[in-house]
Amino acid sequence: MKLTVLVHSAPYSSEAAYSAYRFTSSALAAGHEIYRLFFYYDGVHNSNASSTPPQDEFDLVKAWSELIKTHKLDAISCVSSALRRGVLDPQEATRYEKEAASMGAQFVLSGLGQLVDANTNSDRVMSFGA
Amino acid sequence: MSTLQSPKTITFISRSTPYGSGRAKACLDMVLSAAAFEQKINLVFMDDGVWQLQAAQKPKSIDAKDLSAALSALPLFDVNNIFAESKSLSARDLDPASLAIGVKACSAEAIAVLIRESDVVYQL
């Protein structure tokens, strides 16, 4: 099955983002295709590479990044949600003259049109944290 | 992006107060972008989401943008299937006839039918 995973929640604030990660990993292991990961609202914090949990805790941002890299997933953070929350790629950081670009290299900033496209081209869209 | 030849029926269920969190605005943004791509849209307000329909909001006093003004633009995007759950309205003493925008008051059972008939459902 072709799946899109929509994540609304930040890491560590609730279980939802971690559940989304577990779901995505399990779906891939079961042979399903992940059409897109879409991080929306507080979910954009999953793409903040500055996230630094204590060393004995699960590093969710790092885990997402490795999963995306390994499986060559299309991982999008909603640009309007992300900019509000200080998750910027180098291009946006330069454009808005901000000191830091904190978005992980495995993620791409884009708009809600990508979610509409995912609706159309996926068999299911799974929402986490809403 | 792939082409969007076959529009889907998408039901959005907006359940949050207009200014208590960013959820109401986030839901409306999803509705507007789906509308821009000519999807078939149902928008349902229920639970605390019906507060978004309160007439004469004055959010400027809390430095917020008027969400109800954005709601009034929905017909321009061909979003006309707008519903409010009756019990959510009556529990908050909101009169369906004097809201910020025109909505169809409907029962929870009618919303269940909308959900069943949708390809995708989002709630925020």
Side-chain angles (χ1 to χ4, degrees):
Chain A
M1 198 176 267
K2 207 186 275 188
L3 303 166
T4 285
V5 175
L6 170 61
V7 185
H8 293 276
S9 294
Y12 311 110
S13 303
S14 77
E15 187 72 3
Y18 177 65
S19 298
Y21 169 78
R22 291 277 304 262
F23 175 85
T24 305
S25 306
S26 303
L28 287 164
H32 296 292
E33 179 188 339
I34 298 295
Y35 181 76
R36 182 163 291 150
L37 300 173
F38 195 91
F39 298 91
Y40 189 51
Y41 194 62
D42 282 345
V44 297
H45 290 299
N46 288 277
S47 64
N48 185 350
S50 295
S51 167
T52 312
Q55 285 186 353
D56 59 347
E57 287 183 20
F58 187 76
D59 189 336
L60 186 53
V61 173
K62 191 175 163 205
W64 275 124
S65 299
E66 286 168 359
L67 191 70
I68 293 162
K69 197 172 181 181
T70 304
H71 296 275
K72 298 187 172 60
L73 302 179
D74 184 24
I76 289 178
S77 272
C78 170
V79 63
S80 62
S81 297
L83 294 189
R84 276 197 184 90
R85 289 167 178 79
V87 182
L88 282 70
D89 65 9
Q91 194 184 340
E92 296 300 313
T94 304
R95 188 206 309 262
Y96 292 101
E97 298 178 355
K98 298 293 179 181
E99 290 175 26
S102 57
M103 200 175 79
Q106 305 301 325
F107 300 86
V108 175
L109 287 175
S110 191
L112 277 165
Q114 299 284 353
L115 182 62
V116 182
D117 169 76
N119 283 334
T120 303
N121 293 300
S122 309
D123 297 310
R124 295 276 190 282
V125 179
M126 306 296 295
S127 297
F128 290 84
Chain B
M1 198 186 294
S2 313
T3 49
L4 297 166
Q5 300 112 332
S6 51
K8 295 226 171 174
T9 301
I10 310 176
T11 295
F12 294 92
I13 305 178
S14 193
R15 306 178 75 163
S16 305
T17 55
Y19 309 107
S21 75
R23 302 176 86 89
K25 164 99 170 63
C27 188
L28 183 61
D29 286 345
M30 289 172 94
V31 171
L32 292 174
S33 71
F37 288 94
E38 296 175 345
Q39 306 295 292
K40 294 175 197 158
I41 292 166
N42 299 310
L43 173 57
V44 178
F45 294 94
M46 65 182 285
D47 299 333
D48 276 342
V50 296
W51 285 121
Q52 296 172 48
L53 303 167
Q54 170 87 299
Q57 296 175 24
K58 297 186 183 67
K60 225 178 164 180
S61 56
I62 54 164
D63 295 314
K65 282 189 202 163
D66 193 341
L67 204 67
S68 63
L71 291 179
S72 61
L74 287 169
L76 300 175
F77 288 83
D78 274 333
V79 179
N80 297 303
N81 293 334
I82 307 175
F83 304 89
E85 199 259 322
S86 300
K87 280 185 183 161
S88 303
L89 289 171
S90 58
R92 291 161 184 81
D93 210 15
L94 290 167
D95 175 5
S98 52
L99 298 171
I101 56 166
V103 299
K104 298 163 191 138
C106 71
S107 65
E109 289 75 17
I111 295 169
V113 173
L114 283 180
I115 291 171
R116 267 203 300 279
E117 291 173 350
S118 301
D119 296 308
V120 190
V121 179
Y122 292 111
Q123 65 151 345
L124 260 174

